[in-house]
Amino acid sequence: MKTLIKNGTLATDKEILKADILIEDEIIIAINKNLKKEADFKIINAKNCFVFPGFIDVHTHFELAQGKTTSCDDFKTGSIAAVCGGTTTIIDFVNPEKEESLKKALNIRLKKAQNIASDFSFHMILNTYNDLIAGEMPEIIKSGVTSFKCFFAYKNMQLKDEEFLKILVKAKEYKALVTLHAENGDLIKILSKKFIKEKKTHPKYHYYAHPDIAEEEAVFRAVNLAKFINQPLYIAHLSCKKALEKIKTARRGGQIVYVETCPQYLLLSKKNYFKADFEGAKYVISPPLRETKDMEVLWNALKDRFIQVAATDHCPFNFKAQKEIGKNDFTKIPNGMAGVGERMSLLYTYGVLKNKISLNQFVEVCAANPSKIFGMYPKKGSIIIGADADLVIFDPQVKDIITASKLKSSVDYTAFEGFEIQGKPRTVLIRGKIAYEEGKYIGKQGKGKFIKRKTFKVD
Ligand code: URP
Ligand code: ZN
Ligand code: ZN
């Protein structure tokens, strides 16, 4: 079966050109101007549209248990929202219990992901370090899970420096990448306890309990420990200038530190925490939203390539019944917000169209870099002969307004409510098959493929 995409403007991280794409089964087999149609080809007309490589979201939390509740998108609803928004591959997480075998936890997650619509992989979370983990890490890496997520905050997740150092050493030995949630958990705990004792329970105290210095300190510590071990590091969901400054210094000194940010840190400020009643709970995420000046710094860092990845940290909790768990205590509000379906339109509208990043950079931070950093390039995140035919035919003219009722995610609100967007996917192909067309998911669920990722290598 061959599919020919005609008349589109191909846009990758490096090029923008008029060309047709011929697909055979799952793979791109030709790219050229005016490729000839044959009678049995399926034709897709991409006139007036960009054709992008399928976008990659390296930070989602489908069915994440947090306290007494679980993020409300499962692998089916979350991945359908992703695909309809132009994301064809996601990397989610395996979150083992303390003392649980990593292999066992991975198998449970793989079973849960059986009905996934997009291609996918996992980062393995390490909430401690011991002989069991040390023994299993090589096998986990061999199975294609080549990145590990560490936390410097959160109850039951926060690592000691000693554990983090040992993880870096092991990751170096087996060529895996360590990623980090960088906030100082002790500082957050002290501040949170103090506020609750003073009966300061409103969601705005989540903001005050997570000051930017907690992020700056954690980033600085992690970067220095990684420097000592001479091992690259990936900082997840960076939110502020102070932390970025530490990374800039490290990168200027030749250290490999990758940085991810997310649309919420680029487009939403701390003022949302000060909304009336309990509204601020919708924005309770960690790290929290910051000052408008931090947002500007993050946009500039994307442009100047100090930030390499724009992911979503999609972790949706319904306002009703889930965020409300923390109605009388901000520390009990589940942390996270949705965004997996909105990322591409938001970054195109507020990044590309507002000249904050170029069209090539848009593809670089949402497809090519995530693929390179996490061992999937050039199969994913590129448009070349031999690559997977994950393609997004994107109409740059269509306008819309983001609103909760139109989301494909199962969450009951969006932090981006009322945001005007211009540019949306019209057709999305995953490995040659149309999964989304004209507003509807038409793919076959459960067809998402587990991507066995390569070990870490500097590109
Ligand atoms: O608030 C957030 N970011 N929730 C998801 C879990 C995490 O820290 O990444
Ligand atoms: Zn995190
Ligand atoms: Zn996260």
Side-chain angles (χ1 to χ4, degrees), residues 3 33 156 240 282 291 335 358 452 459:
T3 303
K33 280 197 178 129
N156 297 327
C240 65
K282 292 180 175 175
E291 310 264 354
N335 281 210
S358 70
K452 205 172 164 207
D459 189 58

Side-chain angles (χ1 to χ4, degrees), residues 59 61 93 149-151 154 180-183 236-237 286-287 313:
H59 195 156
H61 299 279
F93 296 82
K149 173 89 183 270
C150 297
F151 289 80
Y154 288 131
L180 180 70
H181 177 119
E183 285 187 293
H237 48 41
S286 295
D313 195 7

Side-chain angles (χ1 to χ4, degrees), residues 2-4 20-24 27-31 35 41:
K2 288 189 182 160
T3 303
L4 181 60
D20 300 338
I21 300 178
L22 185 61
I23 299 163
E24 183 167 21
I27 305 292
I28 296 172
I29 60 161
I31 305 166
L35 285 172
F41 285 6

Side-chain angles (χ1 to χ4, degrees), residues 283-328:
Y283 308 89
V284 167
I285 58 172
S286 295
L289 304 174
R290 303 287 188 193
E291 310 264 354
T292 322
K293 59 177 190 280
D294 289 294
M295 293 155 63
E296 210 46 50
V297 165
L298 295 180
W299 277 118
N300 288 334
L302 272 176
K303 195 179 192 83
D304 298 340
R305 296 192 162 82
F306 282 108
I307 295 180
Q308 294 75 35
V309 175
T312 65
D313 195 7
H314 177 87
C315 189
F317 294 100
N318 285 319
F319 187 58
K320 282 246 155 302
Q322 292 198 292
K323 289 283 183 180
E324 278 175 353
I325 293 169
K327 192 102 203 189
N328 302 313

Side-chain angles (χ1 to χ4, degrees), residues 59 61 66 71 73 262-265 268 272-273 280-289 312-317 323 334-340 342 409 411 413-416:
H59 195 156
H61 299 279
Q66 211 187 91
S71 63
D73 272 322
C262 313
Q264 52 271 34
Y265 299 116
L268 301 169
N272 290 290
Y273 295 116
K282 292 180 175 175
Y283 308 89
V284 167
I285 58 172
S286 295
L289 304 174
T312 65
D313 195 7
H314 177 87
C315 189
F317 294 100
K323 289 283 183 180
N335 281 210
M337 67 167 63
V340 75
E342 293 68 65
S409 158
V411 71
Y413 80 95
T414 165
F416 301 104

